[in-house]
Amino acid sequence: MISHSVPPARRARLGGGARAALIVGALSAASIVAAMALQNTATAASTLGASAAERGGRYYGTAVPANKLSDGAYTTILNREFNQVTPENEMKIDATEPNQNQFTYGPADQIVSYARSRGMRVKGHTLAWHSQQPGWMQQMSGSALRSAMLNHVRQVATHFRGQVFAWDVVNEAFEENGSRRNSNLQQTGNDWIEAAFREARTADPNAKLCYNDYNIDNWNYAKTQAVFNMVRDFKNRGVPIDCVGLQSHFTGGSNYPSSYRTTLQQFASLNVDVQITELDIRNAPVDAYRNVTNDCLAVSRCTGITVWGVRDSDSWRSSENPLLFTGSGAKKPAYDAVLAALNNGVIPTATAPTSSPPGGGGCTASISAGTVFGDRYNTNVAVSGSNNWTVVIALPSPQRLQSNWNATVTADGSGLVLTARPNGNGNNFGFTTYFNGNTGGRPTIRSCTAG
Ligand code: G3I
C-alpha cells in the first residue's frame, strides 16, 4: 500500500506558500532544471495557452476535428486560446488504415500542418485501441491481428515522426473492475500493450509514449490501481512508457474526485509525465474546472491539459454543455476560472547561477533573451570569470538547437543538453532554438566550468 506524506484533504487546504514549497520539492526531485528560482508574482496572461506556457512550458489544448478548420468562428477561438491540439478522430485506426496496408493521412495531415504552422504542438491519438477499428481489423484474430496491429503502429508512428510530441499508443485497455478489457487485441496475448509501446519507440524514438484511459481519475478505484500497477511494472521491466493520460470525462455520470491530485502525483511518482487529455465536465461547473487546473499546476510532471472540444456545440456530449465556450463562442464562467487559476499558478523562472555552479565553477554564464521568430527564437549567453570555459545548457523538451554563433555548441544524444566551448570569438555567444510547439519554455544554464 502506498502512503501519502500529505493527506489529500489537507493538501487541498494548503496556502500559496506551502503549495510553492511542494512544487519546489517536486521540481528538484525531477531534476528538470538545475538553477531555478520560483517567482510568486502572478502575471495576467490573457489566453489559456499563453498562461499555461508560462507555467513551466505547460500547454492548454483541445481536441480538433478537421472539418471545423473551415469554420471561422471556431478557428478564431482555437488560434487565440490553445497551444496544443489532439485530432479528435482523424488519427484513429479506421481513419488512417481503412483498408489493410492502405494508409490515408489527409485529414490528420491537415490538422497537423494547421497546428504546427501556428506553433501549437500536436498529440497523436491513438495507435492501438479496441474501438474504431476498421472492418478488416475487427474480423482478425491471433498472430495475424498482432502483426497487423504492430504494422499499423509502425507505419503511422513513422508517418508522423517529428511532428507529434507524444502518442496515445494504447487507449482504454482496462475494464472498470481493473481486469484487462477482453478485446480482440487482448486475445492476441497479454503482452500486446507492451509490444505496441516497443514498436512505437522504434518507429519514433523522440515522441513521448503514453497510455490513455477514462475513469482512472479516482485514486481509490480498481481501474486506476490496475493502470498504475501496469505502468509500474513497465517501468520496472524497461518497457518504454513516458506518460499517462487521464481522459477526465466528467460527463455521463462520472464526477471529479477529491483524490484527483493524489492520482496525478502517484502516476508522476513512477517517473512518467501525466496529462489531462480529454477534459469535459457536465454543465462546466466553475469549481471543478478550477480544481482540475490547480491540481495539474501542483504536480510538476503534469505537463498539460486538453479539453475535448472548443465550444459546447463541438462536444461529443453537447447536451451536457461541458466545455469552456458557449455554442456562440462566448467565454463561460468556467473559462474565467481556468484562466484565473492558471494566472495564479507559480511561474518557474530560469536564472543564471550567481556563484560557481555544481559540476565545475570558476566562471559564470548569464542568459538573456533574444529575438523570437515564428517557429524559433534566439538566446544570448555572456560568460565572465574565464576565457576558457565550458557552459552546459538545458533546453526544455521538445525544443531543439537550430544554429549557433561565436562559440562551438553541440547537442547531446537527447538533443536537450547543449555544451558550448569558445571558438575564438570571445565570451559572448548565442544560439537559435526551434520551439517544436513549446513556445513557453526557455533554456537554463546547468554549469559553467573554467579551464
Ligand atoms: O463523420 C461521420 C459522418 O459522416 C456521419 O454522417 C456521422 C453519422 O453518425 O458519423 C460521423 O462519424 C462520427 C464521428 O464521431 C465524427 O463525428 C462517428 O459516427 C462517431 O462514432 C465519432 O465519435 C467519436 C468517438 O470518439 C468514437 O469513439 C467522437 O467524435 C469523439 O469525440 C470520441 O472521442 C473519444 C476518444 O477518442 C477516446 N476517449 C473517449 C472519447 C469520447 O467518446
Side-chain angles (χ1 to χ4, degrees):
M1 190 67 194
I2 290 155
S3 64
H4 313 293
S5 53
V6 183
R10 202 190 126 222
R11 203 177 292 125
R13 292 194 302 271
L14 290 174
R19 256 198 323 268
L22 280 178
I23 295 167
V24 174
L27 285 171
S28 60
S31 300
I32 293 172
V33 174
M36 182 171 270
L38 288 180
Q39 175 187 315
N40 278 307
T41 317
T43 62
S46 60
T47 67
L48 303 174
S51 189
E54 286 177 3
R55 270 88 202 154
R58 288 180 170 87
Y59 60 81
Y60 209 100
T62 179
V64 170
N67 63 9
K68 294 275 166 64
L69 294 178
S70 52
D71 173 342
Y74 177 92
T75 54
T76 296
I77 305 172
L78 172 64
N79 300 351
R80 186 185 70 220
E81 297 289 343
F82 297 99
N83 61 349
Q84 182 271 337
V85 153
T86 303
E88 187 168 354
N89 289 301
E90 292 75 0
M91 289 187 181
K92 292 174 180 175
I93 313 172
D94 59 353
T96 50
E97 196 179 358
N99 300 298
Q100 189 168 14
N101 263 319
Q102 288 180 3
F103 292 86
T104 55
Y105 296 115
D109 283 344
Q110 188 192 349
I111 296 173
V112 169
S113 125
Y114 184 97
R116 282 171 55 80
S117 67
R118 288 164 178 79
M120 305 167 178
R121 67 184 102 167
V122 180
K123 182 167 191 198
H125 171 80
T126 175
L127 292 171
W129 192 19
H130 69 279
S131 182
Q132 296 207 212
Q133 292 182 0
W136 63 266
M137 187 180 268
Q138 291 176 33
Q139 287 153 23
M140 290 181 99
S141 62
S143 58
L145 174 60
R146 173 68 70 96
S147 302
M149 180 272 286
L150 293 176
N151 180 56
H152 181 84
V153 170
R154 181 167 55 252
Q155 298 287 340
V156 178
T158 299
H159 177 81
F160 291 107
R161 183 166 54 202
Q163 303 190 67
V164 298
F165 75 96
W167 266 110
D168 288 334
V169 178
V170 171
N171 197 37
E172 303 175 358
F174 283 81
E175 299 282 4
E176 298 304 292
N177 67 6
S179 63
R180 286 284 187 91
R181 183 189 293 275
N182 187 22
S183 67
N184 59 349
L185 292 167
Q186 179 65 24
Q187 287 166 13
T188 70
N190 202 51
D191 61 345
W192 75 273
I193 297 179
E194 60 194 83
F197 274 86
R198 292 186 201 281
E199 196 71 38
R201 178 68 96 222
T202 302
D204 187 352
N206 292 322
K208 296 234 180 194
L209 305 182
C210 310
Y211 177 79
N212 191 54
D213 214 331
Y214 59 89
N215 286 350
I216 57 168
D217 316 288
N218 182 342
W219 178 241
N220 307 300
Y221 192 57
K223 187 173 177 180
T224 311
Q225 292 294 315
V227 172
F228 180 86
N229 289 336
M230 178 189 74
V231 176
R232 182 170 54 187
D233 172 54
F234 280 12
K235 281 292 187 185
N236 287 340
R237 292 192 295 110
V239 177
I241 184 167
D242 308 302
C243 34
V244 174
L246 281 67
Q247 292 184 9
S248 304
H249 288 293
F250 300 128
T251 47
S254 293
N255 294 312
Y256 165 83
S258 60
S259 61
Y260 193 66
R261 188 178 300 188
T262 301
T263 306
L264 295 174
Q265 287 167 329
Q266 291 295 341
F267 277 117
S269 76
L270 296 176
N271 194 24
V272 288
D273 288 345
V274 286
Q275 296 150 353
I276 298 162
T277 54
E278 304 183 14
L279 181 64
D280 48 19
I281 313 181
R282 185 176 57 258
N283 296 323
V286 163
D287 285 350
Y289 263 109
R290 180 190 299 117
N291 288 341
V292 168
T293 312
N294 285 333
D295 290 344
C296 181
L297 289 171
V299 178
S300 62
R301 294 204 66 164
C302 181
T303 56
I305 300 175
T306 307
V307 284
W308 207 240
V310 175
R311 304 162 301 193
D312 285 335
S313 50
D314 304 316
S315 169
W316 70 302
R317 285 209 159 127
S318 56
S319 65
E320 295 189 28
N321 297 313
L323 296 174
L324 300 176
F325 295 87
T326 67
S328 56
K331 295 170 181 173
K332 294 166 65 176
Y335 170 94
D336 296 330
V338 169
L339 182 60
L342 289 170
N343 279 335
N344 278 331
V346 172
I347 300 178
T349 309
T351 56
T354 51
S355 58
S356 295
C363 55
T364 300
S366 307
I367 274 181
S368 60
T371 312
V372 176
F373 311 101
D375 62 345
R376 67 195 79 168
Y377 67 99
N378 289 347
T379 300
N380 302 305
V381 184
V383 182
S384 59
S386 170
N387 294 327
N388 184 19
W389 38 261
T390 302
V391 176
V392 179
I393 299 158
L395 295 182
S397 183
Q399 295 185 3
R400 290 290 184 276
L401 179 69
Q402 188 249 336
S403 61
N404 56 276
W405 59 93
N406 290 350
T408 302
V409 181
T410 53
D412 75 344
S414 74
L416 295 173
V417 179
L418 310 182
T419 300
R421 297 271 302 134
N423 68 353
N425 285 302
N427 291 337
N428 295 298
F429 67 96
F431 57 94
T432 305
T433 314
Y434 283 121
F435 286 122
N436 285 338
N438 180 0
T439 52
R442 290 293 182 271
T444 50
I445 302 289
R446 275 198 176 168
S447 62
C448 184
T449 308

